[in-house]
Structures are given as C-alpha cells and as structure tokens.
Amino acid sequence: MSVRTGVALLGATGSIGETTQRVVERHPERFHFVALTANGNREGLTAAVARWMPRYVGLVQDGGAALPAGWGRGTQCLVEAAQHPEVDTVVNAVVGAAGLEATLAALRAGKRVALANKESLVVGGALVARAVRQGRGEVIPVDSEHSALLQCAAGRVAPIPRGAAAGAGLLPLRGVSRMIITASGGPFRTWSREQIAGAQLTDALNHPTWAMGRKITIDSASLANKALEVIEAHVLFGIPYDRIEVVVHPQSIVHSMLEFEDGSVLAQMGVPSMELPVLYALGYPDRIADGGVPRFDPVASSPLTFEAVRHDAFPTLGLGIAAGRQGGAAPAVFNAANEVAVARVLDGSLPFARIPAAIDHALSAVGDRPGDDLPALLAADAAARSLVQEFR
Ligand code: NAD
Ligand code: MG
C-alpha cells in the first residue's frame, strides 16, 4: 500500500507551480503528482508531464490544436484534476477567480486544498466555508503570511463547530486577539503620491524582495495583494476585520505575527521563499525535514524594520478592506475589477496609478449586489469586469 500523498497541481507552469515541483522533487517518499494542469503553456506542461508521468493532464486553453490522447481540456479539466480519485491534496496555484470552482470541487470530494489561489477565498469565501462544512475537505494556506499565522497558531486550531456560520472561519483559532500581517511595501514604498502617479509598468514589475507571477507582482505594488490577504485571513481564521492589522516590513523576513489574549506576540520568520509555505501546507500538521529551504541568518538579515502603511499613497488597500467588511458580492467585485485593471496595466491600456479609480468605479456601480450563491457571484464578477474593461 502506498503511503505517499497523491498531489494534483493546478497551475503547474507558474511560479508557485514550479516551486511546488521543486519541493516535491526533494520528497519522493512522501509525495507524487497524480494530476497536472496549466492554462495555455503547452510546452511547460509537456515538460512537467515528461518529468512526473501523472495519471491526469489538463490544458485549459488548447488553442484549437490537437492534444495528446487522454489530456483533458477546457475549464472542466481543473475540476477533473481536483476530484481525481487518486488525489489526496490539491495544490491550487492558479491565478485569479478562475481557481474558485476547482477549490470548491476539491473540497466536495474531500481533498485537502493547499491554497495559493487566495482569490478563491476572496470571491467565494462563504461558498468555500459551506463546502468545508459539508464535506471532509480542508483548506491549508500556502500564502506566506497565512502560513506564518497558522504556524504561530500551531496546536490552537479548533474544530469547526457543527452548524457554524460561514464567518466562523475554516481554521478557527483559539485564544487569538490580533493578527498583524506584514507587507513588503512593494517597489513604491518610498515613492510620493506624485511619483506613483507617473509610475511605469517596468517600475511596478520590479519587486524588491519576491520573484512571483506578473499579476501578484502588480498587486504587491498597488497593495491590492494585501487587501486580498486581509480578506483571506478573515475567511480562513474567522477573525473580525477590526482585529487584523497590516504593517509594512521592507525586508520580508517576518512573514506575519499573531497576538494572543495574554498579550504575547509570536512571529514566523525566514528568508523570502515560497518553498517553506508549500512544504508546510503539504505536510501539515507535521514538519518535514528539508535541507533545500533557504536558511535564515539574523545578522545578515538585519536590521528588521516596521512602518505604518501610507494609505493616502496606496488607496487600493482601503478599498479592498472596505469591500471585505461590506460582504455580499463586494469582495468578488473588488477582485474582478482588480484582475481586469491589472491585465490592462500589463497590456499598456491603463496606467498603474489608475488601478484604484478603476476598482472604485466598479465597487460604486455593482459592489452592493448579493453574493449568496455561485451564479450571483459570477454575475457580479462579470459586471465588474466589463465596467473596468471600458474604464477610461
Ligand atoms: P503565475 O502567473 O506564475 O502562474 C499561474 C498558473 O496558473 C500558471 O500555471 C497558469 O498556466 C495557470 N493559469 C493562469 N490562468 C489560468 C486560468 N484562467 N485557468 C487555469 N489555469 C490558469 O502565478 P503565481 O505567481 O504562481 O500565482 C499563483 C497564485 O498563487 C495566485 O493566486 C497568487 O496570488 C498566489 N501566490 C503566489 C505567490 C508567489 O510567490 N508567486 C505567493 C503567494 C501567493
Ligand atoms: Mg502573501
């Protein structure tokens, strides 16, 4: 009998996808890939398939070309990979709201979801909570801040009470009074509002501490990423918004902090690398010995500094947190508006500095829609996308 964990890797060709392949490669006795998917990068997927020989392969956008026998195609392939009977853990490393349905499908099939795709929780937090309560699945965060919070909380995750409301969280924590989420501040941390108004795409893509996919890199420059992460923390851990704080920490060594009821604060630290959060989510609650994760040197990393967020220069953070507090479809609208704004920044049709205005426009128009079920959320998402597509 195999004791190895069968892994489905959705988004195998991306930044987190490649990190996950590196981590699994070091632990062949613990993990093996059962399923791999990619969006349109056929070459990258073919190389990963040759390396891992998975049972299931899916390419979402085949461009009309013939695919090797047995490959799945279309968005349905994400669900097929996530629900494959030999899969125990689904690493969701897809970017954007496109990852939500696979998260839900995996949970309904009783899988662990090692979740990098934070947009799943922002768009469909209540639906994900319902799927966790109804099935035997669970969500373990891969995002470094949320992995840090979970590591600080080790041993204090409470079982979800039967019949709990969606707001109770997916990993409810006992005895926690405050979460302090760190933000690198991105490339514009020290720029004035006037300088940011003239920022170019190449400036926004020049992240000081993390090498990541292009969408999250832009999100880190606008602090939209931190807004998504505050909502993610609220959905994951069931902590009210007024007990989640954001602090700028330019060195990206302290990945987040947890304050307990007695005032004690625990921080999780390490060199900025996604290998540890991926490994931790795969092995949770165990720690798996791993010589490949880069080691921390306190002297080389010093000094460690902390600064307040400059909300006037980064209004996207406040817009996102307000959308999270508002609830309903507002977080989904925030996310969809941001996705389209970022795509337009990347294709040169919207200046970086216009991202918050584009999001505000969508939130004002359709942010108060209900978000009770998937069709309602997808409708709000689509409305926000078309508004921002036309935004001038
Ligand atoms: P990326 O752009 O490098 O990779 C995205 C992957 O998803 C690719 O394999 C791509 O083929 C696939 N994909 C893209 N659009 C898709 C779609 N519509 N349907 C199906 N598959 C699709 O992105 P990334 O940086 O690896 O980020 C992935 C997710 O992880 C994002 O939600 C991001 O916020 C989160 N995350 C990333 C990092 C990081 O260090 N890169 C850190 C924390 C969280
Ligand atoms: Mg993060």
Side-chain angles (χ1 to χ4, degrees):
M1 191 189 93
S2 166
V3 292
R4 295 193 304 166
T5 300
V7 177
L9 176 55
L10 314 182
T13 54
S15 168
I16 295 289
E18 287 185 353
T19 301
T20 303
Q21 293 187 54
R22 274 202 305 283
V23 168
V24 165
E25 185 169 42
R26 295 203 294 269
H27 301 280
E29 72 300 342
R30 293 282 307 244
F31 307 109
H32 70 119
F33 287 115
V34 172
L36 298 174
T37 76
N39 191 35
N41 181 353
R42 182 175 176 153
E43 249 172 63
L45 185 62
T46 301
V49 167
R51 186 168 163 202
W52 300 105
M53 307 298 275
R55 302 292 293 266
Y56 182 89
V57 184
L59 186 67
V60 176
Q61 301 200 38
D62 53 35
L67 293 181
W71 280 30
R73 62 173 88 211
T75 53
Q76 183 59 22
C77 78
L78 300 176
V79 171
E80 287 166 5
Q83 296 194 324
H84 192 283
E86 289 166 45
V87 165
D88 304 295
T89 295
V90 176
V91 177
N92 189 341
V94 169
V95 59
L100 172 61
E101 291 189 58
T103 296
L104 295 172
L107 293 171
R108 289 193 193 112
K111 317 291 190 190
R112 165 175 294 189
V113 180
L115 189 67
N117 179 250
K118 63 192 88 187
E119 295 92 342
S120 284
L121 297 184
V122 172
V123 175
L127 304 184
V128 174
R130 209 177 299 155
V132 166
R133 282 169 189 34
Q134 286 168 352
R136 288 156 292 111
E138 60 180 355
V139 175
I140 307 296
V142 167
D143 215 350
S144 58
E145 295 77 4
H146 307 74
S147 176
L149 293 165
L150 183 61
Q151 292 180 58
C152 292
R156 303 188 70 89
V157 177
I160 303 172
R162 281 214 157 274
L170 309 176
L171 294 162
L173 304 182
R174 281 181 284 118
V176 167
S177 59
R178 193 162 57 117
M179 292 184 161
I180 304 171
I181 297 180
T182 53
S184 72
F188 304 133
R189 178 177 64 88
T190 60
W191 289 35
S192 68
R193 280 178 66 167
E194 295 66 35
Q195 287 173 307
I196 293 173
Q200 299 298 307
L201 174 59
T202 47
D203 303 318
L205 285 172
N206 185 24
H207 197 278
T209 51
W210 293 96
M212 308 178 287
R214 283 157 68 89
K215 189 256 179 184
I216 185 175
T217 301
I218 301 294
D219 286 352
S220 301
S222 67
L223 296 198
N225 183 51
K226 224 33 70 173
L228 298 173
E229 291 183 352
V230 168
I231 300 171
E232 179 184 12
H234 170 77
V235 173
L236 265 177
F237 300 116
I239 301 280
Y241 281 104
D242 56 9
R243 292 201 266 135
I244 305 173
E245 287 174 22
V246 176
V247 67
V248 174
H249 168 50
Q251 297 82 18
S252 300
I253 296 291
V254 173
H255 298 310
S256 280
M257 298 173 245
L258 203 53
E259 182 189 80
F260 293 91
E261 286 166 334
D262 60 1
S264 179
V265 177
L266 297 190
Q268 189 266 336
M269 302 165 75
V271 173
S273 156
M274 289 308 293
E275 296 196 14
L276 182 81
V278 167
L279 179 68
Y280 189 73
L282 289 174
Y284 178 85
D286 296 344
R287 286 194 180 276
I288 297 173
D290 189 307
V293 170
R295 260 42 183 179
F296 169 55
D297 175 344
V299 174
S301 300
S302 72
L304 300 183
T305 58
F306 301 92
E307 303 164 7
V309 174
R310 292 190 299 133
H311 284 280
D312 60 329
F314 299 98
T316 304
L317 176 58
L319 285 171
I321 295 174
R325 287 177 183 269
Q326 185 180 343
V333 167
F334 172 80
N335 176 73
N338 180 59
E339 280 189 35
V340 175
V342 170
R344 290 192 52 194
V345 169
L346 287 170
D347 75 19
S349 68
L350 188 76
F352 171 84
R354 295 280 285 158
I355 291 175
I359 294 173
D360 197 19
H361 172 63
L363 279 170
S364 309
V366 293
D368 56 2
R369 290 208 185 171
D372 306 323
D373 50 28
L374 192 57
L377 289 168
L378 295 179
D381 172 292
R385 282 174 201 268
S386 66
L387 282 166
V388 176
Q389 202 59 55
E390 302 304 319
F391 182 74
R392 292 287 166 266

